[in-house]
Amino acid sequence: WEQPTPDDLAFLAEQERQAAAAVAQGRSSWVPPDQPRPLTFRDEPDSW
């Protein structure tokens, strides 16, 4: 098992920061698993 390098950790931290900023600004469709997800076209059986 390899330990992550400082560069790997910095890259992951930056990705998490960008994802959190996108969620805070409403630019992301991610919903936490414990919260209800809004319905989409995929939820309707006759949509495809």
Side-chain angles (χ1 to χ4, degrees):
W1 184 67
E2 296 181 16
Q3 296 290 328
T5 65
D7 288 341
D8 293 338
L9 294 174
F11 177 74
L12 291 173
E14 178 62 19
Q15 282 189 320
E16 290 179 7
R17 187 192 66 73
Q18 290 176 358
V23 169
Q25 294 173 1
R27 293 186 291 120
S28 173
S29 60
W30 182 80
V31 177
D34 60 338
Q35 295 184 10
R37 179 174 57 83
L39 295 177
T40 66
F41 70 94
R42 285 180 251 159
D43 296 313
E44 302 203 14
D46 296 331
S47 64
W48 37 288

